[in-house]
Amino acid sequence: MFFALTFSILASAFLLVPLIKKFSGARVLVSLPAGLAFFAFLFMGWPSLRSGEVITHTLEWFPSMGINLDFQLTGMGFVLGLLVMGIGALIMSYASGYMKGDAKETRLYLLLYSFMVAMVGLAVSNNLLLFFIFWELTSIISYLLVGFKHEYETSRKNALQALLITGGGGIAMLIGLVMLSHVGGAWTFTELTANAHLITESALYPYILTLVLLGAFTKSAQFPFHFWLPNAMGAPTPVSAYLHSATMVKAGIFLMFVMTPILGGTELWKTTLITTGSITLLVGGWFGLTQKDLKAILAGTTISVLGLITFLIGIGSDKAILAAILVMVAHALYKASLFMMVGAVDLATGTRNINELRGLKKWMPLTATAALLAGLSKMGLPPFYGFIAKEYLYKAAIPLPMEWIQAVLVLGNAIILALAIKVSIIPFFAKDKEKQESASDNPLHKNELDWTMSVSPFVLAILGVLFGAFPNLITPMVHTAVHSITPEANLYAVKLWSGVNWPLILSIFTVGLGLALFFSSRWLEKKETPKSWGVVIYERLLEAVLCLFKKTTRVVQSGYLQNYLAVILIATVALVAWKSIPTMGLWVSYESNLTLTPIIIITAVIMLISAFWICITKSKLNSIIALGVIGAGVALLFAYYSAPDLAITQLLVESLIVVMFAWVIKDIKPHNLSTPLLLNSWYLIISASFSLLIFTLVMKSKLVNLAPAISQKMVEMSYPEGFGSNVVNVTLVDFRALDTWGEATVISIAAIGVWILGKNLISKKS
Amino acid sequence: MELIISLLIAGFFGTGVYCLFQRSFIKLIAGLILIGQGANLLVFSVGGLMSLKPAFVGKEAPPMVADPLPQALVLTAIVISFGLIIFTISLLLKAQRELKSDDLNQLNTTDTL
């Protein structure tokens, strides 16, 4: 009921959105289904989650293989679902302003809704395969959305890049999941969790882990696969804000969360995740520091934060899991807000270059406020939710034995802080030193942006403050999420102020370092971003694969009829001979109870001579006459061997073909193309051996006796049931009428084809 | 199986295939027709040949008539191969018009038409 309701509200969007678009002036209503689904999910899911009741639903799918459509609401899935639908609703309303007047508007909304369905499905699926299907769906929809401006080549290229990388990871993950279910003996996450010891002790464990993590790392843009994310930012801003910062990239994180009780806790898991996470944190930050484009900077920090979360999941302690969830929520809130703000600025001023944008607060006060609030949360300053997340992050990291980790974390967070200042403060609040500001010097193309574009980022930014000041508003949900991952975890209270302690000192240090980085960051910006080596490897690999298959295709698909024919015939002859000669022998025996009359023998000889004549002659008229002779001969055979209907049809068809031929014969040029002798004798050998094969098979086919009962029944039923004395006719129009109907269809289609081609020919002529 | 009919079928298939190997349009069509005739004869003769006893029945079914089922199938096949051949002729005519040649080997790319 719960799942059905959520999904059907979301699905109703596919009906409602086109209607709203068509009949309502208030296009912001397109966010309605997402909003409703959000509240339904929240108010129906939360009470039962809090009371500890588990909402599950199972639909049979392949019961014989133990594979079913299992849905289950877990604490983690609940948090992800809320983020997906809540942010989704705001993004929808933002998109209705952003896409105003765009011809492909409805397409964007519906793609975003499809994505939402896939993402919610992913959050609530309890079956490995179901999870995988939703996972792949998000990849495919992301492909369509990144390539939304498909008129541009870069857009298509980046979409393909994102698809190939996440899709490749998805395939690796599928193999990993199948191995996982094989070792763990179940397809559901819940059962696998119970069998976790089987899996971690299995010899296959390292392979399973690697394959599953490949899926997670590609999806969540972890090093060394991070390079697709900045390229995917070419998508329209609502897409970047929704998929590539707040939700889809969190799917990989979500996978790591749900795998924690199944695959987690081992040294291999910890080392891999901690190392990858730390590298990603720094690589993403460095990428952000070198960029001037607002969206690229945000992409860089998104990669950083994803690395941070991976790192925390790798630590896996109770505090770390709590911190990971806090970071995830805080990041989703401020990053989606910042992305929407960048989209608004881009649309208003026509640029995203941070060096050109100054003093925008005067023109876009609401957007500027939203940017400031979200930016402060991103910097990790009190009283914002980002601050809480960062404090708990440090709390989780401090007990670790590795000192370098803390240095990496401080550096990473400092970079994020510096970039936050760059993105959210400078464009709005810095004064333009070069140009004198004046009222006439309005940088905006449009003075008024649609109000929906400022409200959505503002709401998210406000939530960041609200949750920061009163963390208990959502702490219970965060706690159930922690419990769904580590059921025995100590639940640490989430507080804004926990006294002067080591994390606070680290925070202060981070702020200092971040400010220093900010002031020195202008020297780091590059004029042109060189391709990162990840992109280079990807492009080389893609090129090599395409080249290989082009060459193979060129060899296999020559485009010459003769080659295809030769391959088919040689293969047929060889295979049939190989299989049948040992069992049936080569010799054919001849026996017949048929009386051969001279007329049949003479007809057959004439027909054979005509057939050979067609092969030899160079005259087109001779060919047509010989074909006519053969057709008439076949008709005679039909007539003689008790098939008058066939004879009549054959004669009619033969005449029509000859007429048609005669009609077009003047248009067909005489053929004086000769095949080289050697090649021709090769063709002759193939034809002859094929002919021999057919002869042998036909001679031997006396052994094949088709069931006579059908024919006998037809003869018996023809008159009493079909009311006709000609059994063949009754068969055609009655017993096998469907065949005849199909035949009529084929002829009609052919007639339409001939008509179109013929019309074309005539119009060309005149 | 009947020797003379088998020879005929094999001859049609062999010459038909040989015609397909040639490079001219008219041979291609002739090859298709020949193979079609061979296939029709093959199906027809599989039911057992019986001279001069067509499947006409009255109220009382006669004890021995020719098998009507292969005949019905072949009848369908004749008509369909007719459609196929007429369509091929128009297609090749069109191709020849565009290419100004009747060389089948110039039809090996999809893009130049």
Side-chain angles (χ1 to χ4, degrees):
Chain A
M1 180 60 198
F2 169 74
F3 300 109
L5 187 75
T6 309
F7 282 119
S8 50
I9 295 176
L10 285 178
S12 73
F14 294 90
L15 202 67
L16 286 176
V17 166
L19 287 178
I20 291 168
K21 177 85 195 318
K22 193 153 189 198
F23 296 110
S24 167
R27 285 145 66 260
V28 67
L29 283 177
V30 293
S31 61
L32 197 67
L36 282 178
F38 170 80
F39 286 114
F41 193 76
L42 176 65
F43 290 123
M44 286 177 66
W46 180 234
S48 53
L49 255 191
R50 196 170 42 184
S51 65
E53 180 202 338
V54 188
I55 306 181
T56 56
H57 190 73
T58 300
L59 288 170
E60 281 202 343
W61 189 19
F62 288 129
S64 57
M65 287 171 74
I67 301 171
N68 294 311
L69 303 178
D70 302 302
F71 294 96
Q72 182 172 9
L73 186 68
T74 61
M76 195 62 223
F78 183 68
V79 169
L80 186 66
L82 285 183
L83 284 179
V84 167
M85 285 181 279
I87 295 181
L90 292 170
I91 294 273
M92 283 305 204
S93 102
Y94 173 82
S96 75
Y98 185 89
M99 297 299 291
K100 202 175 191 173
D102 193 305
K104 293 187 288 180
E105 202 184 338
T106 316
R107 180 182 152 85
L108 184 87
Y109 301 145
L110 293 186
L111 279 174
L112 285 175
Y113 267 111
S114 323
F115 175 78
M116 211 180 288
V117 171
M119 204 63 203
V120 173
L122 189 128
V124 297
S125 56
N126 188 24
N127 184 299
L128 293 179
L129 286 182
L130 190 63
F131 180 86
F132 173 77
I133 288 170
F134 286 124
W135 176 280
E136 287 297 284
L137 265 181
T138 62
S139 289
I140 292 165
I141 299 166
S142 158
Y143 168 72
L144 294 174
L145 283 169
V146 174
F148 190 75
K149 300 175 195 158
H150 55 76
E151 309 88 62
Y152 301 98
E153 196 196 342
T154 36
S155 172
R156 297 196 299 269
K157 231 169 96 184
N158 291 335
L160 186 67
Q161 189 184 56
L163 180 71
L164 286 180
I165 290 170
T166 53
I171 290 170
M173 185 183 85
L174 177 64
I175 301 171
L177 293 182
V178 171
M179 285 165 76
L180 181 63
S181 86
H182 177 73
V183 173
W187 284 103
T188 58
F189 288 117
T190 24
E191 287 171 87
L192 285 170
T193 308
N195 296 348
H197 59 281
L198 284 179
I199 297 153
T200 43
E201 285 160 14
S202 145
L204 288 175
Y205 174 73
Y207 305 105
I208 296 176
L209 185 67
T210 314
L211 289 168
V212 171
L213 284 184
L214 264 178
F217 285 178
T218 48
K219 195 83 163 179
S220 286
Q222 297 294 303
F223 177 83
F225 308 109
H226 59 284
F227 59 88
W228 72 264
L229 191 61
N231 290 338
M233 294 296 172
T237 302
V239 176
S240 313
Y242 193 37
L243 270 70
H244 304 118
S245 71
T247 55
M248 188 182 93
V249 287
K250 301 280 162 63
I253 301 291
F254 182 71
L255 176 67
M256 288 187 257
F257 273 126
V258 293
M259 282 298 166
T260 300
I262 300 170
L263 295 173
T266 61
E267 272 313 301
L268 188 61
W269 166 275
K270 282 184 187 168
T271 324
T272 318
L273 260 57
I274 290 178
T275 323
T276 314
S278 336
I279 296 174
T280 310
L281 171 66
L282 294 183
V283 166
W286 175 252
F287 174 83
L289 281 177
T290 59
Q291 299 297 310
K292 282 182 300 202
D293 182 332
L294 284 174
K295 248 183 160 179
I297 297 175
L298 286 179
T301 56
T302 304
I303 295 173
S304 290
V305 173
L306 292 170
L308 211 53
I309 303 175
T310 305
F311 164 85
L312 286 168
I313 299 174
I315 298 174
S317 64
D318 303 349
K319 272 183 190 162
I321 295 291
L322 175 68
I325 296 169
L326 291 176
V327 172
M328 187 175 112
V329 174
H331 175 253
L333 293 177
Y334 70 68
K335 191 52 73 63
S337 170
L338 285 176
F339 260 112
M340 290 194 264
M341 169 283 279
V342 167
V345 167
D346 186 13
L347 217 57
T349 64
T351 179
R352 296 197 303 252
N353 187 332
I354 40 166
N355 296 328
E356 291 172 16
L357 295 164
R358 291 290 182 272
L360 289 174
K361 71 161 192 293
K362 203 168 169 186
W363 315 107
M364 316 172 77
L366 195 59
T367 309
T369 321
L372 178 69
L373 295 177
L376 289 173
S377 180
K378 185 180 179 189
M379 290 176 216
L381 297 178
F384 294 90
Y385 210 57
F387 171 75
I388 299 179
K390 197 179 58 181
E391 292 301 287
Y392 280 82
L393 160 73
Y394 284 144
K395 273 186 194 165
I398 284 167
L400 286 184
M402 299 162 275
E403 281 85 7
W404 60 269
I405 285 288
Q406 280 131 33
V408 167
L409 286 183
V410 170
L411 182 60
N413 275 313
I415 295 175
I416 293 174
L417 183 127
L419 292 176
I421 300 175
K422 252 175 139 175
V423 171
S424 58
I425 309 289
I426 298 302
F428 296 96
F429 301 96
K431 287 227 169 69
D432 198 332
K433 282 171 197 154
E434 288 148 34
K435 282 185 229 157
Q436 283 292 322
E437 267 190 83
S438 65
S440 62
D441 192 25
N442 187 342
L444 301 191
H445 294 325
K446 301 176 201 163
N447 286 333
E448 287 287 327
L449 279 171
D450 204 280
W451 59 273
T452 49
M453 293 186 67
S454 341
V455 167
S456 287
F458 194 71
V459 169
L460 282 178
I462 289 290
L463 282 179
V465 190
L466 197 66
F467 294 155
F470 309 101
N472 283 334
L473 284 173
I474 54 168
T475 302
M477 295 178 192
V478 174
H479 279 163
T480 51
V482 174
H483 252 178
S484 73
I485 296 157
T486 44
E488 292 96 38
N490 286 320
L491 294 175
Y492 293 94
V494 179
K495 286 180 289 187
L496 182 63
W497 179 251
S498 37
V500 179
N501 50 17
W502 196 226
L504 189 70
I505 296 167
L506 280 182
S507 278
I508 294 166
F509 190 62
T510 308
V511 173
L513 186 63
L515 285 174
L517 267 172
F518 166 70
F519 287 114
S520 55
S521 68
R522 282 211 68 158
W523 294 294
L524 292 172
E525 283 168 23
K526 292 179 189 163
K527 283 223 171 72
E528 281 191 13
T529 325
K531 278 180 190 171
S532 78
W533 56 266
V535 178
V536 174
I537 290 177
Y538 164 82
E539 282 176 354
R540 289 274 159 79
L541 213 61
L542 190 66
E543 229 167 73
V545 169
L546 289 180
C547 185
L548 175 72
F549 285 106
K550 256 181 207 157
K551 280 188 177 152
T552 323
T553 310
R554 219 168 289 152
V555 173
V556 177
Q557 303 287 343
S558 62
Y560 294 107
L561 180 63
Q562 294 96 331
N563 297 358
Y564 297 118
L565 209 58
V567 169
I568 293 169
L569 292 178
I570 291 171
T572 311
V573 172
L575 283 175
V576 175
W578 174 49
K579 274 291 163 196
S580 65
I581 288 177
T583 52
M584 291 162 68
L586 197 57
W587 188 244
V588 288
S589 60
Y590 168 64
E591 50 174 297
S592 174
N593 48 6
L594 201 69
T595 45
L596 280 175
T597 47
I599 188 167
I600 291 302
I601 297 174
I602 292 167
T603 315
V605 170
I606 291 173
M607 283 198 282
L608 279 176
I609 291 172
S610 305
F612 285 113
W613 180 242
I614 293 171
C615 297
I616 302 162
T617 182
K618 282 192 192 275
S619 149
K620 36 184 190 176
L621 201 61
N622 283 358
S623 308
I624 294 170
I625 292 169
L627 281 172
V629 168
I630 290 173
V634 172
L636 191 67
L637 281 185
F638 285 151
Y640 186 77
Y641 288 117
S642 323
D645 303 280
L646 294 195
I648 295 166
T649 317
Q650 177 72 31
L651 271 181
L652 197 67
V653 159
E654 213 50 53
S655 327
L656 278 174
I657 289 179
V658 169
V659 167
M660 175 86 180
F661 247 140
W663 184 43
V664 300
I665 196 161
K666 60 177 192 305
D667 292 324
I668 299 179
K669 288 182 211 140
H671 46 84
N672 42 15
L673 302 155
S674 56
T675 316
L677 189 67
L678 198 66
L679 199 60
N680 210 21
S681 34
W682 168 235
Y683 293 153
L684 203 62
I685 292 170
I686 298 178
S687 311
S689 49
F690 184 64
S691 179
L692 193 67
L693 178 82
I694 295 283
F695 178 72
T696 319
L697 288 182
V698 173
M699 284 304 278
K700 289 198 175 289
S701 70
K702 198 193 174 182
L703 307 170
V704 183
N705 201 358
L706 296 176
I710 304 171
S711 308
Q712 200 49 50
K713 201 77 189 162
M714 281 174 172
V715 173
E716 280 164 20
M717 280 162 58
S718 174
Y719 197 80
E721 307 265 328
F723 302 105
S725 54
N726 184 339
V727 186
V728 177
N729 280 3
V730 172
T731 310
L732 283 174
V733 299
D734 195 328
F735 300 149
R736 303 191 59 85
L738 262 183
D739 274 7
T740 313
W741 185 58
E743 172 197 334
T745 314
V746 169
I747 290 296
S748 321
I749 292 171
I752 293 170
V754 171
W755 182 57
I756 290 168
L757 286 169
K759 210 175 69 168
N760 207 330
L761 285 176
I762 290 161
S763 68
K764 269 268 169 71
K765 238 182 220 170
S766 61
Chain B
M1 179 62 76
E2 199 50 51
L3 179 69
I4 196 98
I5 301 290
S6 306
L7 275 177
L8 211 52
I9 294 167
F12 284 159
F13 271 104
T15 49
V17 163
Y18 180 78
C19 284
L20 289 188
F21 273 121
Q22 305 305 311
R23 282 163 64 186
S24 94
F25 287 168
I26 221 154
K27 292 262 158 140
L28 177 76
I29 296 164
L32 282 178
I33 295 178
L34 283 171
I35 291 175
Q37 302 282 29
N40 288 349
L41 265 187
L42 177 59
V43 176
F44 178 65
S45 57
V46 156
L49 295 177
M50 194 175 284
S51 48
L52 305 172
K53 269 184 196 157
F56 286 109
V57 293
K59 267 186 189 148
E60 295 293 311
M64 275 290 273
V65 287
D67 193 344
L69 184 62
Q71 291 192 16
L73 294 181
V74 170
L75 205 126
T76 308
I78 291 173
V79 177
I80 286 183
S81 63
F82 167 69
L84 176 77
I85 284 156
I86 296 294
F87 184 73
T88 314
I89 291 175
S90 1
L91 200 62
L92 288 180
L93 214 58
K94 165 89 176 150
Q96 176 178 289
R97 208 45 82 65
E98 297 287 329
L99 281 173
K100 311 254 184 301
S101 148
D102 81 330
D103 187 357
L104 273 182
N105 285 2
Q106 292 189 8
L107 282 175
N108 62 347
T109 52
T110 48
D111 301 332
T112 47
L113 275 182

